[in-house]
Amino acid sequence: NLAMKTSDHIAVTMETVKEETILRSFEANGVFEPSQELKLMAETGGAIVKINKRKGDFVKKGDVILQVDDRLIQSEYTIVKLNRDQAEKDMKRFENLASTDAVTQKQLEEYQKAFKIYDAQFSALQKRLDDTRISAPISGYINQEYFEMGALVSPGMPIVDIINSSPLKLTVKVSESEVSSIKKGDQVSVKANA
């Protein structure tokens, strides 16, 4: 009965241990994406009166893309600025008079309060005026535009999509088994199909 017979010897192959680099390479598909992209929204309402940049144009951070009608806000701004400047002069005059006890503390406080009110209104109008100049918050290319000359914009309405493609970012999806063979800082070769 040969099948039941056991051997006293086991065949073993021996090799000397040596250090070798094992190349584990794989191919994966990826997508080039811009390093930054955003949808710029309007913060004010009104009619578009001037367009400085269009789809495909490069914009630097701070460049004015378009101007919304600001005539009413300019008028309010001028009035409040005049009132604020006058309130500041009155407050300083009353501070000088208060130092010589020529006016009461209550009178001084009323002029200080008036100045603070006009100063707050002035700051709010300055912000509203700035919002009529819709500017690029980042540098990049206008990838999409959502406006036309004369169109009405409202707060929250999309104006443009801006993408910053310098540098480009490559996103590659790898499997669980491939992830263990790569680590941060590894050099990879990339081929792009144009």
Side-chain angles (χ1 to χ4, degrees), residues 96-156:
N96 288 337
L97 291 170
S99 67
T100 62
D101 292 331
V103 294
T104 66
Q105 184 64 29
K106 183 171 177 24
Q107 288 173 310
L108 174 61
E109 288 171 0
E110 285 176 13
Y111 280 92
Q112 289 172 331
K113 179 181 170 188
F115 171 72
K116 286 179 182 176
I117 290 170
Y118 284 122
D119 193 46
Q121 289 175 343
F122 178 75
S123 295
L125 280 169
Q126 179 66 53
K127 169 76 169 108
R128 284 182 53 208
L129 196 56
D130 290 346
D131 288 347
T132 64
R133 290 180 295 279
I134 299 178
S135 303
I138 63 170
S139 295
Y141 289 92
I142 296 176
N143 194 44
Q144 187 66 19
E145 64 183 36
Y146 305 98
F147 59 82
E148 286 300 323
M149 180 61 110
L152 288 175
V153 297
S154 58

Side-chain angles (χ1 to χ4, degrees), residues 76-111:
E76 287 178 59
Y77 177 83
T78 302
I79 292 166
V80 169
K81 184 175 183 338
L82 290 170
N83 287 336
R84 177 191 169 275
D85 292 348
Q86 184 61 49
E88 185 175 24
K89 288 177 189 172
D90 292 346
M91 180 185 71
K92 287 180 180 177
R93 191 172 65 248
F94 267 74
E95 285 172 346
N96 288 337
L97 291 170
S99 67
T100 62
D101 292 331
V103 294
T104 66
Q105 184 64 29
K106 183 171 177 24
Q107 288 173 310
L108 174 61
E109 288 171 0
E110 285 176 13
Y111 280 92

Side-chain angles (χ1 to χ4, degrees), residues 5-108:
K5 200 173 194 186
T6 60
S7 169
D8 294 336
H9 302 288
I10 299 173
V12 175
T13 305
M14 299 203 34
E15 280 194 36
T16 306
V17 177
K18 58 185 173 186
E19 191 175 312
E20 288 183 354
T21 302
I22 299 174
L23 296 175
R24 291 183 174 169
S25 65
F26 61 89
E27 289 186 13
N29 291 323
V31 178
F32 285 107
E33 299 172 337
S35 57
Q36 279 183 303
E37 57 185 314
L38 68 81
K39 187 177 293 287
L40 180 61
M41 307 290 212
E43 292 187 48
T44 190
I48 296 172
V49 294
K50 186 175 182 186
I51 297 172
N52 297 328
K53 302 288 184 178
R54 300 300 306 226
K55 181 178 178 178
D57 289 347
F58 180 80
V59 291
K60 288 186 286 194
K61 181 178 180 175
D63 283 355
V64 177
I65 296 170
L66 60 86
Q67 174 72 45
V68 175
D69 188 1
D70 65 353
R71 291 175 294 176
L72 289 175
I73 298 172
Q74 277 286 7
S75 297
E76 287 178 59
Y77 177 83
T78 302
I79 292 166
V80 169
K81 184 175 183 338
L82 290 170
N83 287 336
R84 177 191 169 275
D85 292 348
Q86 184 61 49
E88 185 175 24
K89 288 177 189 172
D90 292 346
M91 180 185 71
K92 287 180 180 177
R93 191 172 65 248
F94 267 74
E95 285 172 346
N96 288 337
L97 291 170
S99 67
T100 62
D101 292 331
V103 294
T104 66
Q105 184 64 29
K106 183 171 177 24
Q107 288 173 310
L108 174 61

